[in-house]
Amino acid sequence: MRWLAAGFHGSMDYMAAHGLRRARPAELVPGTVSVITARMNYLPRTTVPEGWQAVEWARLARPQEGVISLYARGRDYHKVLRARLQKLQQRMAAELGPFGHRVFTDSAPVLEAELAARSGQGWRGKHTLVLSREGGSMFFLGEIYVDLALPPSAPVSGHCGSCSACMEACPTQAIVAPHRLDARRCISYLTIEHAGPIPAPLRPLLGNRIYGCDDCQLACPWNKYAQVSALPDFDPRDGLTGAPLAALLDWSEEEFLRRTEGSPIRRIGHVRWLRNVAVALGNALAALPPGDARRAPLQAALATRATHPEALVREHVAWALQQEGKLPEARHESHESHESGPF
Ligand code: SF4
Ligand code: SF4
């Protein structure tokens, strides 16, 4: 409630709308007396187990390439995890007989991370995600609310210690204190949840992240234990990793819908996609030295969207084109002015 009162949820009004139902399972699903929590690893099968973080940091160092958060490069996890939890419930019903239940995967007002922590799936890291000694934090969470009184599993102790690597790695300083995240500054929120303009002072800090952000997880030492998924579902799709930003901006709405069918990316829609890619292109222009021949194709790509029917796209494209040749200090100043509160 304090987090909501501070306005840290930004434009995610649904977080406030459900009130305490989020924290009281039996108010959401009457009759619930236990919650079965589950986690499912999502690192793609192609992940190099040793040193995958270095591969991801290297992507972020190539400004002309769009980077999509690891969890979103394959099939929509909502569908995958939900189907598997339903199968688990059916197996339980085969043993126990019918019982009241409801399956959730990030799909309703459920305090997923807190339920996971209280049931021993891991502890809440300073970045607020759940992490475990055996699996780092690269997993999804899901729950089955049941009307069975099951013996509770115990929470595990936290192992962050004096580490603050996630807080230091966050490009926008969104982790304002240990275990306290200002979503309004978080790149995952800005590129996925937030529908309006991305605050200009934060745009330079997005770099080439066009859908979500993994930095706080990449920096976490426990993620050397992150597990690779056993499923093909999270294998990266063609065109979603290593793609040039100029090509991604060129996708028509039809192409966007076709390429993101069954992917979590689809839910942001084509307009938000173009908004995000335009910002990344602006950052790429700023990263290239004056006179660099690689600038022209980026400018040409942006120019094709300068008259887009949506004002949101036009404004972000105009901003991106202005970034060319901007001194880093000028871009940084705009970030610092944000610290005094642009919201
Ligand atoms: S996802 Fe990125 S922007 Fe959000 S808290 Fe983590 S590092 Fe910061
Ligand atoms: S980076 Fe450090 S502080 Fe952050 S979640 Fe991982 S162990 Fe905890």
Side-chain angles (χ1 to χ4, degrees):
M1 297 305 283
R2 280 202 304 275
W3 186 81
L4 288 171
F8 284 168
H9 59 300
S11 56
M12 295 184 286
D13 295 334
Y14 62 89
M15 288 206 146
H18 298 289
L20 282 170
R21 259 201 312 166
R22 186 175 286 276
R24 294 175 181 160
E27 287 185 20
L28 185 66
V29 182
T32 300
V33 286
S34 302
V35 178
I36 299 170
T37 63
R39 59 177 215 239
M40 185 171 68
N41 300 318
Y42 65 70
L43 280 182
R45 293 183 304 171
T46 49
T47 307
V48 186
E50 297 285 323
W52 60 271
Q53 295 97 327
V55 173
E56 296 305 316
W57 288 124
R59 293 187 202 285
L60 295 168
R62 294 193 288 268
Q64 296 159 76
E65 187 177 310
V67 179
I68 290 169
S69 187
L70 267 154
Y71 83 85
R73 294 178 191 168
R75 192 162 170 240
D76 191 341
Y77 65 96
H78 295 94
K79 298 175 187 176
V80 181
L81 183 49
R82 191 179 174 77
R84 291 169 79 85
L85 286 173
Q86 271 162 346
K87 197 179 263 185
L88 172 63
Q89 185 279 326
Q90 284 158 9
R91 282 202 198 167
M92 287 176 63
E95 295 282 333
L96 302 170
F99 60 92
H101 69 277
R102 197 161 146 199
V103 168
F104 296 104
T105 53
D106 190 20
S107 54
V110 172
L111 282 179
E112 296 202 292
E114 196 54 30
L115 287 167
R118 291 192 189 193
S119 55
Q121 298 286 3
W123 72 94
R124 304 289 296 268
K126 290 180 186 170
H127 49 22
T128 74
L129 300 167
V130 177
L131 70 160
S132 87
R133 287 162 71 114
E134 304 80 37
S137 60
M138 311 307 280
F139 49 74
F140 300 120
L141 298 174
E143 304 77 32
I144 313 177
Y145 281 24
V146 296
D147 64 359
L148 305 170
L150 300 174
S153 48
V156 294
S157 52
H159 296 279
C160 283
S162 59
C163 174
S164 56
C166 52
M167 300 176 68
E168 285 145 25
C170 177
T172 55
Q173 288 140 35
I175 310 167
V176 294
H179 313 288
R180 203 160 164 79
L181 183 89
D182 185 347
R184 295 169 302 178
R185 299 186 69 95
C186 176
I187 295 170
S188 291
Y189 162 82
L190 292 167
T191 55
I192 302 172
E193 305 291 340
H194 180 59
I198 296 172
L202 293 179
R203 293 179 196 175
L205 308 177
L206 266 56
N208 57 347
R209 299 165 190 81
I210 55 170
Y211 188 97
C213 168
D214 291 324
D215 290 31
C216 48
Q217 300 194 86
L218 296 180
C220 179
W222 287 105
N223 268 329
K224 66 170 168 260
Y225 301 112
Q227 305 281 323
V228 172
S229 173
L231 306 176
D233 302 78
F234 305 123
D235 289 353
R237 292 182 173 203
D238 283 349
L240 289 184
T241 37
L245 287 166
L248 299 177
L249 194 76
D250 193 44
W251 285 2
S252 64
E253 185 164 16
E254 292 72 34
E255 185 164 9
F256 171 81
L257 293 174
R258 183 173 57 76
R259 286 186 179 263
T260 59
E261 192 163 6
S263 141
I265 298 171
R266 194 178 229 224
R267 64 190 263 254
I268 70 167
H270 188 231
V271 166
R272 250 185 264 181
W273 173 259
L274 294 179
R275 174 199 67 178
N276 297 348
V277 178
V279 169
L281 274 164
N283 293 335
L285 277 175
L288 290 170
D292 193 303
R294 289 170 294 177
R295 280 181 161 180
L298 306 187
Q299 289 162 323
L302 282 163
T304 64
R305 296 297 187 186
T307 54
H308 192 277
E310 289 287 339
L312 186 75
V313 176
R314 290 198 304 275
E315 189 274 314
H316 285 74
V317 165
W319 175 88
L321 285 165
Q322 286 163 12
Q323 300 312 300
E324 191 203 356
K326 262 208 174 165
L327 293 171
E329 303 83 63
R331 305 183 93 228
H332 188 61
E333 264 167 32
S334 60
H335 165 47
E336 284 179 342
S337 68
H338 166 78
E339 312 256 319
S340 55
F343 297 112

PDB file of all heavy atoms in Angstrom, residues 127 129 166-167 169-175 181-183 185-190 209 212-217, ligand 1:
ATOM      1  N   HIS A 127      16.420  -6.287  -6.111  1.00  0.00           N
ATOM      2  CA  HIS A 127      15.716  -5.798  -7.305  1.00  0.00           C
ATOM      3  C   HIS A 127      14.222  -6.142  -7.264  1.00  0.00           C
ATOM      4  O   HIS A 127      13.500  -5.834  -8.199  1.00  0.00           O
ATOM      5  CB  HIS A 127      16.350  -6.335  -8.589  1.00  0.00           C
ATOM      6  CG  HIS A 127      16.604  -7.826  -8.601  1.00  0.00           C
ATOM      7  ND1 HIS A 127      15.931  -8.724  -7.793  1.00  0.00           N
ATOM      8  CD2 HIS A 127      17.486  -8.562  -9.325  1.00  0.00           C
ATOM      9  CE1 HIS A 127      16.386  -9.936  -8.044  1.00  0.00           C
ATOM     10  NE2 HIS A 127      17.324  -9.873  -8.947  1.00  0.00           N
ATOM     11  N   LEU A 129      12.778  -9.035  -7.494  1.00  0.00           N
ATOM     12  CA  LEU A 129      12.434 -10.324  -8.107  1.00  0.00           C
ATOM     13  C   LEU A 129      12.757 -11.453  -7.130  1.00  0.00           C
ATOM     14  O   LEU A 129      13.512 -11.262  -6.185  1.00  0.00           O
ATOM     15  CB  LEU A 129      13.236 -10.524  -9.391  1.00  0.00           C
ATOM     16  CG  LEU A 129      13.008  -9.476 -10.477  1.00  0.00           C
ATOM     17  CD1 LEU A 129      14.074  -9.587 -11.548  1.00  0.00           C
ATOM     18  CD2 LEU A 129      11.623  -9.648 -11.084  1.00  0.00           C
ATOM     19  N   CYS A 166      22.709  -5.323  -8.497  1.00  0.00           N
ATOM     20  CA  CYS A 166      21.537  -5.015  -9.332  1.00  0.00           C
ATOM     21  C   CYS A 166      21.227  -3.526  -9.281  1.00  0.00           C
ATOM     22  O   CYS A 166      20.904  -2.911 -10.309  1.00  0.00           O
ATOM     23  CB  CYS A 166      20.327  -5.849  -8.918  1.00  0.00           C
ATOM     24  SG  CYS A 166      19.941  -5.752  -7.155  1.00  0.00           S
ATOM     25  N   MET A 167      21.333  -2.946  -8.098  1.00  0.00           N
ATOM     26  CA  MET A 167      21.013  -1.530  -7.946  1.00  0.00           C
ATOM     27  C   MET A 167      21.992  -0.667  -8.727  1.00  0.00           C
ATOM     28  O   MET A 167      21.622   0.309  -9.369  1.00  0.00           O
ATOM     29  CB  MET A 167      21.042  -1.148  -6.457  1.00  0.00           C
ATOM     30  CG  MET A 167      20.032  -1.941  -5.645  1.00  0.00           C
ATOM     31  SD  MET A 167      20.134  -1.592  -3.888  1.00  0.00           S
ATOM     32  CE  MET A 167      19.558   0.094  -3.839  1.00  0.00           C
ATOM     33  N   ALA A 169      23.713  -1.658 -11.354  1.00  0.00           N
ATOM     34  CA  ALA A 169      23.640  -1.921 -12.793  1.00  0.00           C
ATOM     35  C   ALA A 169      22.427  -1.273 -13.454  1.00  0.00           C
ATOM     36  O   ALA A 169      22.428  -1.072 -14.671  1.00  0.00           O
ATOM     37  CB  ALA A 169      23.583  -3.436 -13.032  1.00  0.00           C
ATOM     38  N   CYS A 170      21.427  -0.951 -12.702  1.00  0.00           N
ATOM     39  CA  CYS A 170      20.188  -0.447 -13.308  1.00  0.00           C
ATOM     40  C   CYS A 170      20.456   0.857 -14.077  1.00  0.00           C
ATOM     41  O   CYS A 170      20.883   1.846 -13.482  1.00  0.00           O
ATOM     42  CB  CYS A 170      19.137  -0.219 -12.230  1.00  0.00           C
ATOM     43  SG  CYS A 170      17.630   0.484 -12.921  1.00  0.00           S
ATOM     44  N   PRO A 171      20.166   0.859 -15.375  1.00  0.00           N
ATOM     45  CA  PRO A 171      20.510   2.051 -16.179  1.00  0.00           C
ATOM     46  C   PRO A 171      19.752   3.305 -15.767  1.00  0.00           C
ATOM     47  O   PRO A 171      20.219   4.411 -16.006  1.00  0.00           O
ATOM     48  CB  PRO A 171      20.114   1.641 -17.608  1.00  0.00           C
ATOM     49  CG  PRO A 171      19.915   0.164 -17.581  1.00  0.00           C
ATOM     50  CD  PRO A 171      19.584  -0.215 -16.179  1.00  0.00           C
ATOM     51  N   THR A 172      18.583   3.145 -15.180  1.00  0.00           N
ATOM     52  CA  THR A 172      17.747   4.313 -14.855  1.00  0.00           C
ATOM     53  C   THR A 172      17.643   4.569 -13.347  1.00  0.00           C
ATOM     54  O   THR A 172      16.840   5.402 -12.933  1.00  0.00           O
ATOM     55  CB  THR A 172      16.327   4.111 -15.407  1.00  0.00           C
ATOM     56  OG1 THR A 172      15.832   2.875 -14.885  1.00  0.00           O
ATOM     57  CG2 THR A 172      16.297   4.069 -16.918  1.00  0.00           C
ATOM     58  N   GLN A 173      18.389   3.816 -12.575  1.00  0.00           N
ATOM     59  CA  GLN A 173      18.316   3.921 -11.105  1.00  0.00           C
ATOM     60  C   GLN A 173      16.880   3.755 -10.611  1.00  0.00           C
ATOM     61  O   GLN A 173      16.374   4.539  -9.793  1.00  0.00           O
ATOM     62  CB  GLN A 173      18.886   5.251 -10.625  1.00  0.00           C
ATOM     63  CG  GLN A 173      20.398   5.317 -10.761  1.00  0.00           C
ATOM     64  CD  GLN A 173      20.896   6.670 -11.229  1.00  0.00           C
ATOM     65  OE1 GLN A 173      20.326   7.687 -10.881  1.00  0.00           O
ATOM     66  NE2 GLN A 173      21.924   6.667 -12.038  1.00  0.00           N
ATOM     67  N   ALA A 174      16.241   2.750 -11.169  1.00  0.00           N
ATOM     68  CA  ALA A 174      14.838   2.493 -10.807  1.00  0.00           C
ATOM     69  C   ALA A 174      14.725   1.804  -9.448  1.00  0.00           C
ATOM     70  O   ALA A 174      13.672   1.873  -8.814  1.00  0.00           O
ATOM     71  CB  ALA A 174      14.172   1.627 -11.878  1.00  0.00           C
ATOM     72  N   ILE A 175      15.790   1.123  -9.015  1.00  0.00           N
ATOM     73  CA  ILE A 175      15.756   0.471  -7.697  1.00  0.00           C
ATOM     74  C   ILE A 175      16.210   1.541  -6.708  1.00  0.00           C
ATOM     75  O   ILE A 175      17.403   1.741  -6.479  1.00  0.00           O
ATOM     76  CB  ILE A 175      16.657  -0.778  -7.660  1.00  0.00           C
ATOM     77  CG1 ILE A 175      16.351  -1.693  -8.862  1.00  0.00           C
ATOM     78  CG2 ILE A 175      16.460  -1.547  -6.353  1.00  0.00           C
ATOM     79  CD1 ILE A 175      17.365  -2.789  -9.101  1.00  0.00           C
ATOM     80  N   LEU A 181      11.251  -0.621  -5.821  1.00  0.00           N
ATOM     81  CA  LEU A 181      11.395  -0.326  -7.250  1.00  0.00           C
ATOM     82  C   LEU A 181      10.399   0.748  -7.671  1.00  0.00           C
ATOM     83  O   LEU A 181       9.195   0.598  -7.475  1.00  0.00           O
ATOM     84  CB  LEU A 181      11.129  -1.601  -8.054  1.00  0.00           C
ATOM     85  CG  LEU A 181      11.323  -1.436  -9.551  1.00  0.00           C
ATOM     86  CD1 LEU A 181      12.753  -1.719  -9.955  1.00  0.00           C
ATOM     87  CD2 LEU A 181      10.400  -2.340 -10.321  1.00  0.00           C
ATOM     88  N   ASP A 182      10.916   1.819  -8.253  1.00  0.00           N
ATOM     89  CA  ASP A 182      10.041   2.832  -8.829  1.00  0.00           C
ATOM     90  C   ASP A 182       9.775   2.417 -10.272  1.00  0.00           C
ATOM     91  O   ASP A 182      10.611   2.638 -11.156  1.00  0.00           O
ATOM     92  CB  ASP A 182      10.720   4.209  -8.762  1.00  0.00           C
ATOM     93  CG  ASP A 182       9.794   5.318  -9.248  1.00  0.00           C
ATOM     94  OD1 ASP A 182       8.757   5.007  -9.856  1.00  0.00           O
ATOM     95  OD2 ASP A 182      10.123   6.493  -9.019  1.00  0.00           O
ATOM     96  N   ALA A 183       8.616   1.797 -10.494  1.00  0.00           N
ATOM     97  CA  ALA A 183       8.330   1.259 -11.826  1.00  0.00           C
ATOM     98  C   ALA A 183       8.369   2.349 -12.888  1.00  0.00           C
ATOM     99  O   ALA A 183       8.699   2.077 -14.042  1.00  0.00           O
ATOM    100  CB  ALA A 183       6.970   0.559 -11.830  1.00  0.00           C
ATOM    101  N   ARG A 185      10.446   4.429 -13.504  1.00  0.00           N
ATOM    102  CA  ARG A 185      11.786   4.571 -14.069  1.00  0.00           C
ATOM    103  C   ARG A 185      12.278   3.282 -14.713  1.00  0.00           C
ATOM    104  O   ARG A 185      13.352   3.264 -15.329  1.00  0.00           O
ATOM    105  CB  ARG A 185      12.785   4.955 -12.965  1.00  0.00           C
ATOM    106  CG  ARG A 185      12.505   6.252 -12.273  1.00  0.00           C
ATOM    107  CD  ARG A 185      13.639   6.576 -11.317  1.00  0.00           C
ATOM    108  NE  ARG A 185      14.844   6.907 -12.046  1.00  0.00           N
ATOM    109  CZ  ARG A 185      15.214   8.152 -12.340  1.00  0.00           C
ATOM    110  NH1 ARG A 185      14.501   9.157 -11.951  1.00  0.00           N
ATOM    111  NH2 ARG A 185      16.318   8.371 -13.024  1.00  0.00           N
ATOM    112  N   CYS A 186      11.549   2.193 -14.512  1.00  0.00           N
ATOM    113  CA  CYS A 186      12.032   0.879 -14.961  1.00  0.00           C
ATOM    114  C   CYS A 186      11.796   0.717 -16.468  1.00  0.00           C
ATOM    115  O   CYS A 186      10.703   0.961 -16.973  1.00  0.00           O
ATOM    116  CB  CYS A 186      11.333  -0.224 -14.173  1.00  0.00           C
ATOM    117  SG  CYS A 186      11.778  -1.872 -14.755  1.00  0.00           S
ATOM    118  N   ILE A 187      12.810   0.268 -17.164  1.00  0.00           N
ATOM    119  CA  ILE A 187      12.728   0.140 -18.629  1.00  0.00           C
ATOM    120  C   ILE A 187      11.698  -0.924 -19.018  1.00  0.00           C
ATOM    121  O   ILE A 187      11.048  -0.813 -20.065  1.00  0.00           O
ATOM    122  CB  ILE A 187      14.132  -0.167 -19.211  1.00  0.00           C
ATOM    123  CG1 ILE A 187      15.052   1.037 -18.967  1.00  0.00           C
ATOM    124  CG2 ILE A 187      14.063  -0.501 -20.688  1.00  0.00           C
ATOM    125  CD1 ILE A 187      16.521   0.795 -19.269  1.00  0.00           C
ATOM    126  N   SER A 188      11.513  -1.924 -18.179  1.00  0.00           N
ATOM    127  CA  SER A 188      10.479  -2.926 -18.486  1.00  0.00           C
ATOM    128  C   SER A 188       9.105  -2.272 -18.492  1.00  0.00           C
ATOM    129  O   SER A 188       8.273  -2.533 -19.368  1.00  0.00           O
ATOM    130  CB  SER A 188      10.517  -4.065 -17.463  1.00  0.00           C
ATOM    131  OG  SER A 188      11.691  -4.804 -17.646  1.00  0.00           O
ATOM    132  N   TYR A 189       8.864  -1.425 -17.521  1.00  0.00           N
ATOM    133  CA  TYR A 189       7.598  -0.687 -17.467  1.00  0.00           C
ATOM    134  C   TYR A 189       7.493   0.267 -18.648  1.00  0.00           C
ATOM    135  O   TYR A 189       6.472   0.308 -19.355  1.00  0.00           O
ATOM    136  CB  TYR A 189       7.510   0.071 -16.145  1.00  0.00           C
ATOM    137  CG  TYR A 189       6.488   1.180 -16.120  1.00  0.00           C
ATOM    138  CD1 TYR A 189       5.145   0.910 -15.881  1.00  0.00           C
ATOM    139  CD2 TYR A 189       6.860   2.502 -16.344  1.00  0.00           C
ATOM    140  CE1 TYR A 189       4.206   1.944 -15.866  1.00  0.00           C
ATOM    141  CE2 TYR A 189       5.935   3.523 -16.330  1.00  0.00           C
ATOM    142  CZ  TYR A 189       4.609   3.243 -16.091  1.00  0.00           C
ATOM    143  OH  TYR A 189       3.683   4.252 -16.083  1.00  0.00           O
ATOM    144  N   LEU A 190       8.543   1.034 -18.880  1.00  0.00           N
ATOM    145  CA  LEU A 190       8.484   2.085 -19.902  1.00  0.00           C
ATOM    146  C   LEU A 190       8.277   1.522 -21.300  1.00  0.00           C
ATOM    147  O   LEU A 190       7.590   2.127 -22.118  1.00  0.00           O
ATOM    148  CB  LEU A 190       9.772   2.919 -19.871  1.00  0.00           C
ATOM    149  CG  LEU A 190       9.966   3.789 -18.622  1.00  0.00           C
ATOM    150  CD1 LEU A 190      11.395   4.308 -18.550  1.00  0.00           C
ATOM    151  CD2 LEU A 190       8.979   4.953 -18.613  1.00  0.00           C
ATOM    152  N   ARG A 209      17.522  -1.054 -25.681  1.00  0.00           N
ATOM    153  CA  ARG A 209      16.536  -2.000 -25.118  1.00  0.00           C
ATOM    154  C   ARG A 209      15.155  -1.626 -25.654  1.00  0.00           C
ATOM    155  O   ARG A 209      14.632  -0.565 -25.317  1.00  0.00           O
ATOM    156  CB  ARG A 209      16.555  -1.920 -23.587  1.00  0.00           C
ATOM    157  CG  ARG A 209      17.904  -2.286 -22.978  1.00  0.00           C
ATOM    158  CD  ARG A 209      17.986  -1.854 -21.518  1.00  0.00           C
ATOM    159  NE  ARG A 209      19.330  -1.969 -20.990  1.00  0.00           N
ATOM    160  CZ  ARG A 209      20.294  -1.070 -21.189  1.00  0.00           C
ATOM    161  NH1 ARG A 209      20.057   0.031 -21.897  1.00  0.00           N
ATOM    162  NH2 ARG A 209      21.491  -1.261 -20.674  1.00  0.00           N
ATOM    163  N   GLY A 212      11.537  -4.533 -22.667  1.00  0.00           N
ATOM    164  CA  GLY A 212      12.014  -5.050 -21.385  1.00  0.00           C
ATOM    165  C   GLY A 212      13.482  -4.764 -21.165  1.00  0.00           C
ATOM    166  O   GLY A 212      14.137  -4.076 -21.966  1.00  0.00           O
ATOM    167  N   CYS A 213      13.972  -5.278 -20.074  1.00  0.00           N
ATOM    168  CA  CYS A 213      15.363  -5.023 -19.656  1.00  0.00           C
ATOM    169  C   CYS A 213      15.762  -6.147 -18.709  1.00  0.00           C
ATOM    170  O   CYS A 213      14.971  -6.584 -17.881  1.00  0.00           O
ATOM    171  CB  CYS A 213      15.421  -3.670 -18.946  1.00  0.00           C
ATOM    172  SG  CYS A 213      16.951  -3.327 -18.062  1.00  0.00           S
ATOM    173  N   ASP A 214      16.994  -6.607 -18.866  1.00  0.00           N
ATOM    174  CA  ASP A 214      17.482  -7.701 -18.012  1.00  0.00           C
ATOM    175  C   ASP A 214      18.653  -7.291 -17.139  1.00  0.00           C
ATOM    176  O   ASP A 214      19.235  -8.131 -16.455  1.00  0.00           O
ATOM    177  CB  ASP A 214      17.938  -8.888 -18.883  1.00  0.00           C
ATOM    178  CG  ASP A 214      16.786  -9.588 -19.577  1.00  0.00           C
ATOM    179  OD1 ASP A 214      15.703  -9.689 -18.979  1.00  0.00           O
ATOM    180  OD2 ASP A 214      16.970 -10.033 -20.727  1.00  0.00           O
ATOM    181  N   ASP A 215      19.039  -6.027 -17.174  1.00  0.00           N
ATOM    182  CA  ASP A 215      20.319  -5.646 -16.575  1.00  0.00           C
ATOM    183  C   ASP A 215      20.461  -6.046 -15.107  1.00  0.00           C
ATOM    184  O   ASP A 215      21.514  -6.511 -14.684  1.00  0.00           O
ATOM    185  CB  ASP A 215      20.541  -4.135 -16.708  1.00  0.00           C
ATOM    186  CG  ASP A 215      20.795  -3.725 -18.151  1.00  0.00           C
ATOM    187  OD1 ASP A 215      20.256  -4.385 -19.061  1.00  0.00           O
ATOM    188  OD2 ASP A 215      21.514  -2.744 -18.365  1.00  0.00           O
ATOM    189  N   CYS A 216      19.383  -5.837 -14.323  1.00  0.00           N
ATOM    190  CA  CYS A 216      19.531  -6.147 -12.896  1.00  0.00           C
ATOM    191  C   CYS A 216      19.735  -7.651 -12.701  1.00  0.00           C
ATOM    192  O   CYS A 216      20.392  -8.071 -11.745  1.00  0.00           O
ATOM    193  CB  CYS A 216      18.347  -5.621 -12.079  1.00  0.00           C
ATOM    194  SG  CYS A 216      16.717  -6.002 -12.720  1.00  0.00           S
ATOM    195  N   GLN A 217      19.205  -8.441 -13.604  1.00  0.00           N
ATOM    196  CA  GLN A 217      19.392  -9.888 -13.496  1.00  0.00           C
ATOM    197  C   GLN A 217      20.754 -10.307 -14.053  1.00  0.00           C
ATOM    198  O   GLN A 217      21.383 -11.228 -13.542  1.00  0.00           O
ATOM    199  CB  GLN A 217      18.275 -10.612 -14.238  1.00  0.00           C
ATOM    200  CG  GLN A 217      16.891 -10.271 -13.691  1.00  0.00           C
ATOM    201  CD  GLN A 217      15.856 -11.235 -14.193  1.00  0.00           C
ATOM    202  OE1 GLN A 217      15.655 -12.291 -13.609  1.00  0.00           O
ATOM    203  NE2 GLN A 217      15.229 -10.888 -15.283  1.00  0.00           N
TER     204      GLN A 217
HETATM  205  S1  SF4 B   1      14.596  -4.175 -15.398  1.00  0.00           S
HETATM  206 FE1  SF4 B   1      16.228  -2.742 -15.987  1.00  0.00          FE
HETATM  207  S2  SF4 B   1      15.382  -0.699 -15.596  1.00  0.00           S
HETATM  208 FE2  SF4 B   1      14.085  -2.190 -14.489  1.00  0.00          FE
HETATM  209  S3  SF4 B   1      14.977  -2.298 -12.436  1.00  0.00           S
HETATM  210 FE3  SF4 B   1      15.966  -3.916 -13.617  1.00  0.00          FE
HETATM  211  S4  SF4 B   1      17.824  -2.954 -14.441  1.00  0.00           S
HETATM  212 FE4  SF4 B   1      16.473  -1.310 -13.757  1.00  0.00          FE
END
